[in-house]
Amino acid sequence: VSGATEYQWRKNGANIEGATNASFTISNVQFNDGGSYTVVVANDAGAVTSDRAEVIVLPPEPPAAADYFSNRLSLSLALTGGPPVVVSGFNTNATKETPDEPLHAGRIGGRSVWYTWTAPASGIARFNTYGSTFDSVLAVYTGEVLNKLTEIAANDDDDSNEPSLATNRFFASEVRFNAQAGTNYAIALDGFGGEGGYFVLLGELEVTPQKLPEITTQ
């Protein structure tokens, strides 16, 4: 074997910028740090990728998830100034309610879990899946019947909503939308292409009269 040895650490299959040493250390671990980590080791003879190591950051509450739309679990989001609400669980054994369940963010999933949230006030709501160990898809709907839902927001692989994370998204998804007080929202978290594992769902509400711009005509 010849040549200098090079290293590239990855999270959920995406390169971690600047992580090119033989070891990789995370200080002050946050929920966003959860994920599946590997390292690619290369020299003149070729390159090999290590086995995957899953890092799971648990919230204070025990993991919970609902496989079916009809059994979705309730969330209670903090208002402006409060800490975000974080829930987690495993979608490994979740299923898709064929043929009525929509394609979340237009993607083929197959392991969706459901939550419901009633907006206590009007403002800008935000949900994301940073810290999950797989390529996740996120969608928010209104409606009480699975095959008659109205999509409010959907995303696969956040690339614009959070500029500080946009270049470090690792296949997580984020949605932001104008929430109306008293409205019930159904939240679906799925795995892209049927992927599964440990997920993290963060939600928070900014109470404000300001509104996000909405596209009314394509």
Side-chain angles (χ1 to χ4, degrees):
V1 178
S2 60
T5 302
E6 298 180 349
Y7 303 88
Q8 176 60 66
W9 290 85
R10 294 177 173 177
K11 177 181 173 183
N12 293 349
N15 290 344
I16 302 173
E17 185 176 356
T20 55
N21 295 323
S23 62
F24 178 64
T25 302
I26 303 174
S27 301
N28 188 26
V29 175
Q30 304 295 318
F31 286 110
N32 291 348
D33 295 317
S36 297
Y37 289 81
T38 56
V39 60
V40 179
V41 183
N43 61 15
D44 290 346
V48 294
T49 301
S50 71
D51 291 337
R52 184 172 65 177
E54 288 195 350
V55 175
I56 295 175
V57 183
L58 294 173
E61 297 297 324
D67 185 8
Y68 299 105
F69 174 81
S70 59
N71 296 329
R72 55 197 186 279
L73 301 181
S74 296
L75 296 177
S76 178
L77 269 61
L79 304 183
T80 303
V85 169
V86 180
V87 295
S88 68
F90 293 86
N91 76 327
T92 311
N93 295 322
T95 58
K96 181 179 179 65
E97 296 178 74
T98 306
D100 294 333
E101 184 171 340
L103 294 177
H104 309 302
R107 301 293 191 261
I108 296 176
R111 299 184 186 275
S112 59
V113 294
W114 290 89
Y115 291 90
T116 185
W117 172 63
T118 302
S122 296
I124 298 174
R126 178 169 74 105
F127 292 89
N128 68 48
T129 63
Y130 287 97
S132 301
T133 63
F134 58 94
D135 188 346
S136 55
V137 176
L138 196 58
V140 178
Y141 304 91
T142 56
E144 299 299 325
V145 180
L146 183 59
N147 62 359
K148 296 181 180 179
L149 297 176
T150 299
E151 182 182 291
I152 301 301
N155 180 248
D156 174 37
D157 299 346
D158 173 42
D159 61 2
S160 61
N161 290 334
E162 191 70 48
S164 63
L165 296 173
T167 59
N168 198 33
R169 60 185 183 272
F170 304 114
F171 306 108
S173 297
E174 176 169 295
V175 294
R176 298 172 71 226
F177 60 94
N178 297 317
Q180 299 295 320
T183 300
N184 296 323
Y185 295 96
I187 303 157
L189 188 157
D190 205 347
F192 178 82
E195 288 194 28
Y198 178 77
F199 68 83
V200 175
L201 177 64
L202 176 148
E204 58 185 346
L205 172 67
E206 177 186 358
V207 180
T208 174
Q210 303 296 321
K211 292 184 178 296
L212 296 171
E214 295 180 342
I215 297 174
T216 58
T217 303
Q218 293 290 347

